[in-house]
Amino acid sequence: MLNTALTSLAGIPSFLAYFAVAVVLLLLFIRLYTWVTPHDEFALIRANNPAAAIAFGGALVGFAWPLASAITHSMSLLDCAIWGAVALVVQVLTFLVSNAALKQLPQRITQGELAAGIYSAGCSITIGILNAACMSY
């Protein structure tokens, strides 16, 4: 039983390394996403804007899903970081395409229109799921 526990604990350094890469990529995603969007997500969320919270939450889930797939299927930390960066770019592009498809999306989110927030979150999550599936190489 002690050998099983020690064997299991031997994976902690790998866990910590992958988790650190994931957190860094998540923080980079948050920074890039909030830079690309013309509205201030955090100010809107602090002001209790549900459309902004839904849209931003969907973007986070949409990024985390393929990032989890990259972690699961990667052969190394570098491989994980590369595919995590791909997921980051795809997710940011998703907002840009969603914005082009639905006129005045950022303004509508800023005004608290739930339909716009749900649409944005739905696009983010849908593309995130597809992105994750494509990373199951």
Side-chain angles (χ1 to χ4, degrees), residues 25-33 59-60 63 88 91-92:
L25 285 167
L26 180 62
L27 293 173
L28 285 171
F29 170 74
I30 290 169
R31 180 66 191 113
L32 184 60
Y33 185 84
L60 291 174
F63 173 67
L88 187 151
Q91 198 61 37
V92 170

Side-chain angles (χ1 to χ4, degrees), residues 74-97:
S74 65
M75 295 178 279
S76 67
L77 276 176
L78 178 60
D79 188 41
C80 177
I82 290 168
W83 286 103
V86 169
L88 187 151
V89 169
V90 168
Q91 198 61 37
V92 170
L93 289 174
T94 299
F95 173 78
L96 297 174
V97 171

Side-chain angles (χ1 to χ4, degrees), residues 9-83:
L9 291 174
I12 287 178
S14 293
F15 163 81
L16 292 173
Y18 278 89
F19 190 74
V21 167
V23 168
V24 167
L25 285 167
L26 180 62
L27 293 173
L28 285 171
F29 170 74
I30 290 169
R31 180 66 191 113
L32 184 60
Y33 185 84
T34 57
W35 180 72
V36 167
T37 59
H39 52 281
D40 184 346
E41 281 85 359
F42 292 112
L44 291 171
I45 293 168
R46 278 192 289 276
N48 200 29
N49 181 319
I54 291 167
F56 188 60
L60 291 174
V61 171
F63 173 67
W65 210 315
L67 180 57
S69 182
I71 291 167
T72 301
H73 297 101
S74 65
M75 295 178 279
S76 67
L77 276 176
L78 178 60
D79 188 41
C80 177
I82 290 168
W83 286 103

Side-chain angles (χ1 to χ4, degrees), residues 8 15 46 52 55 61 69 93 100 104 114 118 124 132-133 137:
S8 181
F15 163 81
R46 278 192 289 276
V61 171
S69 182
L93 289 174
Q104 300 177 333
L114 284 176
I118 293 167
S124 295
Y137 46 86

